[in-house]
Amino acid sequence: MQKEMQIMDTGKDFAVRLAEWHRAHGRHDLPWQNTRDAYRIWLSEIMLQQTQVDTVIPYYARFLARFPDLASLAAAPVDDVLALWSGLGYYARARNLHKAAQAVMAECGGEFPRCPEAIAELPGIGRSTAAAIADFAFGARAAILDGNVKRVLCRVFGIDGFPGERAVEQQLWALAEALLPAQDVGTYIQAQMDLGATVCTRGRAACERCPMADICVARREDRVGELPAARPRKAVPQRQVRVAVIHAGGRVLLERRPPIGIWGGLLALPEIPEGEADAARWLGTRFGLAARDAITLAPFNHTFTHFRLEITPILLDVGDAAQAAADADHRWLALGERDAAGLPTPVRRILDALADGNLEGDLFSR
């Protein structure tokens, strides 16, 4: 009861402090701000999931140049969408973005849903993202709970426990909803995001510049580094894979990944099955191609959210072999066309090195 009373007292001027701080110190000129266009706001919210603002900005500009509105995105082949997303990671976001655009066109007559509950029914949009879109585009009054907001609330109000745990998350949702101001919710939500992104950061929080400094529980109790509680540590699994860099006259054979799973829907290098010791023999059996050379290159690591993948490229030069291996799931890609293809980041690294003649350089030792 005492902690609840403290939260109520602290929360009374939380929105007021945020608004005053945001007017002077918030971000006001990001490319997706100062608009009520639900499409642009939605696109930015999806791109910003798990991704820093500075990384998103050039992708956002390129994406809008190619797909300026929802209709153009819905009508595009998913390969074109994935190609523009290449390097941004978390590719399920791109696939769901495309599916959601098609759903809005087919089921909503091209009109983006206005209420958070309806928005959240679209592919790839959760409760917090739906609320943010509704707030910014339609002036709704709905709380959000992204990573920045969770961090601010945990510190200012002294919320213990890992925010990803169900009980803690429910507590944070209740708090976020209780703190919502009656008016100008969009500005309030943006202020929360900005405070977490620029002041109450994950690493070195700038408490001396924070408008909540004198009411922050974490600062008062010297627990800024402890809150929010970290995800319980687990050993990061290490996996290994060998990929075939099948090279023929300036082209590389790529295969389409399954739509679900790692790099879903992207073009990737074929994987050599575990236990297949002779890559050249596998190449002949699998694709009917004969390798003039088979060179095992230095392995390198690529880290995903839940595991680390050690990738060993094997260069298989098939000279000017006929392109018979291409089919619905495989295609020969000219190295000069790689920038326009939807490729996972490690595959792009390999092809860039191949094009530059740097396969033996330090790229694969990083």
Side-chain angles (χ1 to χ4, degrees):
M1 177 63 72
Q2 183 178 1
K3 187 166 187 178
E4 291 178 357
M5 293 298 295
Q6 290 175 342
I7 288 177
M8 290 176 62
D9 290 340
T10 302
K12 287 179 180 178
D13 61 348
F14 183 78
V16 175
R17 288 171 180 246
L18 266 180
E20 292 176 351
W21 173 83
H22 185 261
R23 278 194 291 272
H25 305 290
R27 299 176 294 188
H28 301 279
D29 58 355
L30 294 174
W32 42 84
Q33 292 180 322
N34 305 309
T35 180
R36 290 284 191 174
D37 186 334
Y39 171 69
R40 290 171 177 252
I41 292 168
W42 166 48
L43 175 61
S44 70
E45 289 297 324
I46 299 300
M47 284 190 167
L48 287 166
Q49 293 172 355
Q50 307 291 330
T51 311
Q52 297 293 322
V53 166
D54 289 344
T55 301
V56 165
I57 288 175
Y59 278 91
Y60 181 79
R62 287 194 294 269
F63 203 93
L64 283 178
R66 173 64 178 82
F67 307 118
D69 51 35
L70 194 146
S72 61
L73 172 59
V78 69
D79 286 355
D80 291 359
V81 179
L82 289 169
L84 278 175
W85 205 274
S86 182
L88 198 56
Y90 301 96
Y91 294 97
R93 295 182 297 174
R95 296 193 299 275
N96 284 328
L97 195 77
H98 188 245
K99 290 177 184 176
Q102 293 181 324
V104 172
M105 293 302 297
E107 301 168 16
C108 307
E111 292 291 328
F112 206 89
R114 298 178 67 89
C115 70
E117 294 78 13
I119 296 172
E121 293 180 0
L122 294 172
I125 302 181
R127 177 180 175 181
S128 184
T129 299
I133 296 168
D135 290 339
F136 294 138
F138 306 115
R141 187 175 181 272
I144 74 160
L145 200 62
D146 70 356
N148 285 319
V149 174
K150 287 179 180 179
R151 186 164 56 254
V152 169
L153 296 183
C154 284
R155 286 175 176 170
V156 174
F157 296 95
I159 306 299
D160 292 304
F162 172 54
E165 295 176 0
R166 182 173 178 79
V168 179
E169 187 174 48
Q170 288 178 335
Q171 182 182 4
L172 288 169
W173 270 117
L175 177 58
E177 290 175 340
L179 291 170
L180 277 176
Q183 298 178 337
D184 205 10
V185 173
T187 299
Y188 167 79
I189 294 299
Q190 186 63 56
Q192 283 186 302
M193 294 176 171
D194 288 357
L195 186 67
T198 64
V199 174
C200 191
T201 55
R202 183 182 304 170
R204 302 177 63 179
C207 296
E208 69 282 358
R209 295 192 287 112
C210 183
M212 308 296 172
D214 62 321
I215 61 172
C216 178
V217 173
R219 186 169 187 264
R220 183 174 67 242
E221 297 179 358
D222 195 24
R223 300 177 63 203
V224 173
E226 299 175 15
L227 296 175
R231 181 189 299 273
R233 290 198 170 215
K234 295 181 180 179
V236 179
Q238 176 82 38
R239 302 180 188 174
Q240 294 82 31
V241 66
R242 291 179 301 154
V243 296
V245 187
I246 305 168
H247 185 226
R251 297 189 172 200
V252 175
L253 184 64
L254 301 176
E255 68 179 9
R256 179 78 59 191
R257 297 284 299 184
I260 303 300
I262 297 171
W263 302 325
L266 297 181
L267 290 169
L269 295 166
E271 295 183 9
I272 301 173
E274 187 176 352
E276 182 63 68
D278 190 330
R281 183 177 60 189
W282 165 83
L283 178 68
T285 302
R286 177 68 180 82
F287 294 111
L289 297 173
R292 298 194 306 188
D293 295 298
I295 303 173
T296 301
L297 303 169
F300 66 99
N301 285 314
H302 183 75
T303 302
F304 294 89
T305 305
H306 301 297
F307 69 96
R308 180 180 301 158
L309 183 66
E310 182 185 76
I311 302 171
T312 300
I314 299 181
L315 181 62
L316 297 163
D317 185 357
V318 295
D320 294 321
Q323 314 288 293
D327 55 31
D329 296 320
H330 298 83
R331 62 173 282 196
W332 290 93
L333 178 74
L335 290 173
E337 299 174 355
R338 65 190 186 282
D339 289 342
L343 305 172
T345 297
V347 173
R348 190 173 297 280
R349 286 174 60 188
I350 294 171
L351 298 192
D352 286 347
L354 179 62
D356 295 340
N358 190 36
L359 284 171
E360 298 296 341
D362 64 356
L363 177 68
F364 299 102
S365 64
R366 294 203 293 266

